[in-house]
Each structure stands twice: as structure tokens, then as C-alpha cells.
Amino acid sequence: MSRGAPGEGVLRLALGAVALAGLGVAGYLTAVRASGGDPACVLGGDCTTVQESEYAELAGVPVAVLGLLAYGALLVAAILPGPLGRALGLFTAIVGVGFSAWLTYAEIFLIEAICAWCVASAVLITLALILAAARARVAATREGTARRSAPGPSATGPSPGSSR
């Protein structure tokens, strides 16, 4: 790990904070959709247009519910130490960024409306990917350093004259 780079614990904490913020955004949008109301649009006014579009569901499941599941998985990943937590976080964030990119494309080019809540979620899932990737890199660097510094058998074999 390079000097000044955050450790895995700090990255897990940051990922947990991002996941909680994402749960807040997705939870709000899920609750608004379930109540039949319109989301408050603090910037612009196209949140309702996006929320009521055909792209707001995937196979009958509201996209906001999928967001709840993804951010929930990221929170679990942040809580889990070790390789399982790192793999879950990285996988969830990669899939989430890909899906978010598709949804952003749909907003801009197909729906022709932008939702500030969706933009916030896109930023959060991108941050989650950065944190998950950094966490994986810190672990890989730490494991690589440990392997290089661990004593091991000599590559040249026993020294001449030594007995076995």
C-alpha cells in the first residue's frame, strides 16, 4: 500500500456511507412510487416524467426497488471483511454502474428528461465503484507485499556442502 493511501477499513466505512446515501435515494423513490405521488424535484422538474416512463421498470419491477437491492448489497459488502466483501462490493458496483449508464442514456436520449434523484444515484453508484475498486487494489497490494517479504525456500536449493 502506498504511503497516504487509505486502508481497507476506511474504504469499507466510506462504501458503507455511500450505500446508506443510496438507500436513502432509492428508498425515497420507492416510497413515492408506491404511494402514487410525484417525487419532489429540487432541480428542474422532470423527475415525474422519468418516474412515469416505461424505463422506470424492468420486468415489472420498479428501478428504484432494484436500487434498494443494489445499495443493500453494497452495505452488506461494506460490513463483510475479506475477499467475500470485496468481491460482492466490486461485482455489485460494476453491475450498478453499467445499469446506471443505460438509465442515464434512456433519460437523455429516449425520455428526454433528467431526474435529479437519478443523477444523484448515478453519482453514488460511481463513487461506490471507485471505493470498491480501491478496496480490492489495497488488498491485492497488501497481499502482494506480504508474499514478497515472506521468507521462503531458496531458489537455488541447498548450499554446497550442506547436509540434508
Side-chain angles (χ1 to χ4, degrees):
M1 180 165 52
S2 66
R3 187 178 178 139
E8 186 172 1
V10 170
L11 293 168
R12 287 175 58 201
L13 188 62
L15 181 60
V18 167
L20 287 173
L23 282 168
V25 170
Y28 170 73
L29 291 174
T30 298
V32 166
R33 184 172 179 95
S35 73
D38 293 333
C41 290
V42 291
L43 300 172
D46 290 336
C47 295
T48 300
T49 303
V50 173
Q51 183 93 335
E52 292 176 353
S53 77
E54 66 183 285
Y55 302 99
E57 288 186 356
L58 179 66
V61 178
V63 168
V65 171
L66 298 175
L68 279 175
L69 294 173
Y71 288 116
L74 287 170
L75 185 58
V76 170
I79 293 168
L80 285 174
L84 182 59
R86 290 190 297 271
L88 177 62
L90 197 54
F91 174 78
T92 303
I94 288 169
V95 171
V97 165
F99 191 57
S100 180
W102 156 247
L103 292 172
T104 300
Y105 169 84
E107 279 185 277
I108 295 168
F109 297 107
L110 304 175
I111 306 167
E112 297 180 353
I114 301 291
C115 169
W117 293 103
C118 301
V119 171
S121 183
V123 168
L124 290 170
I125 197 68
T126 302
L127 287 173
L129 178 56
I130 291 166
L131 292 167
R135 181 180 175 194
R137 180 149 197 249
V138 163
T141 301
R142 184 182 65 235
E143 289 166 7
T145 301
R147 271 190 233 112
R148 284 191 300 273
S149 63
S154 169
T156 60
S159 61
S162 67
S163 63
R164 290 190 173 198

